[in-house]
Amino acid sequence: GATGMVINMGSTTETPKLAQAFHSIYAISKVALRAYSTGLRQEGQLAGVDVVHVRAGAFASNLHGAFEQAGVNLAQYQEFAGYAAALQRGILDKVKLVTEKSEAEFAELIYSIAHTQGTPAAEYWLNVSWLEWLAEWLPQSLLDRVIAEDYKVPARCRQRRQSCSELHVFSWSAV
């Protein structure tokens, strides 16, 4: 049997189609972690170590605070300042579409994975919503359109793939 276990914590954003504007570095790190988990699992088999990759959906955490900080950081760049509020609103609206589970539920699930009898599965999906699963099967152009609408990118800019210097950003504070 295995003499140890590594549990790598992924995210639903490890699906490249769920990467979004101003949030791509996080998605890149999770995509890379998933690939790393696969290679490490293969290496671990040689050393008697189980490697498990967890694809975590919505759980209570300080990640929402990171979204707020991302908006603050984005607002510091003149060329992107108008998008800061849209970033916040878009992400927080999407978070409302999934059911967040508690930290205690998360800890219980991880504990059960760590104490699996026999060989654990290579990957576990924890609280992944059907919407996040569906995104893998939707055309990228549709997902891009959703993000463009979040940022109020004019249709003429999306259709022609041209640079639009006069992007009109809707002010969420006016609502």
Side-chain angles (χ1 to χ4, degrees):
T3 59
M5 178 182 284
V6 173
I7 300 176
N8 285 332
M9 196 55 50
S11 167
T12 54
T13 62
E14 66 195 36
T15 300
K17 288 185 174 185
L18 289 177
Q20 36 183 309
F22 308 114
H23 207 76
S24 58
I25 298 300
Y26 180 77
I28 289 168
S29 71
K30 294 303 182 179
V31 170
L33 181 63
R34 188 173 189 191
Y36 176 66
S37 294
T38 299
L40 190 61
R41 181 176 39 263
Q42 295 164 358
E43 295 169 10
Q45 289 172 344
L46 304 174
V49 176
D50 289 325
V51 177
V52 172
H53 183 79
V54 173
R55 183 177 196 173
F59 287 92
S61 71
N62 65 353
L63 189 57
H64 295 187
F67 295 151
E68 291 171 16
Q69 186 60 47
V72 169
N73 293 347
L74 187 60
Q76 294 176 9
Y77 295 91
Q78 182 178 356
E79 62 270 33
F80 296 123
Y83 295 109
L87 167 74
Q88 295 295 61
R89 180 66 173 211
I91 289 176
L92 294 177
D93 282 350
K94 288 173 186 68
V95 168
K96 291 177 190 172
L97 297 174
V98 297
T99 304
E100 189 175 85
K101 297 210 176 206
S102 73
E103 293 170 343
E105 289 173 287
F106 178 74
E108 187 176 309
L109 291 167
I110 297 300
Y111 180 88
S112 68
I113 291 169
H115 293 88
T116 299
Q117 297 299 314
T119 304
E123 184 169 295
Y124 292 86
W125 287 26
L126 306 182
N127 199 33
V128 176
S129 81
W130 67 272
L131 288 170
E132 292 160 325
W133 178 84
L134 180 65
E136 292 195 43
W137 303 99
L138 293 173
Q140 186 65 54
S141 60
L142 176 63
L143 298 169
D144 288 347
R145 191 171 340 138
V146 169
I147 299 303
E149 288 171 7
D150 279 353
Y151 290 101
K152 306 297 179 198
V153 176
R156 64 183 174 76
C157 299
R158 293 193 310 258
Q159 293 168 352
R160 296 183 187 154
R161 303 249 188 254
Q162 68 187 38
S163 175
C164 290
S165 58
E166 75 242 25
L167 295 179
H168 302 288
V169 179
F170 181 77
S171 172
W172 294 108
S173 60
V175 176

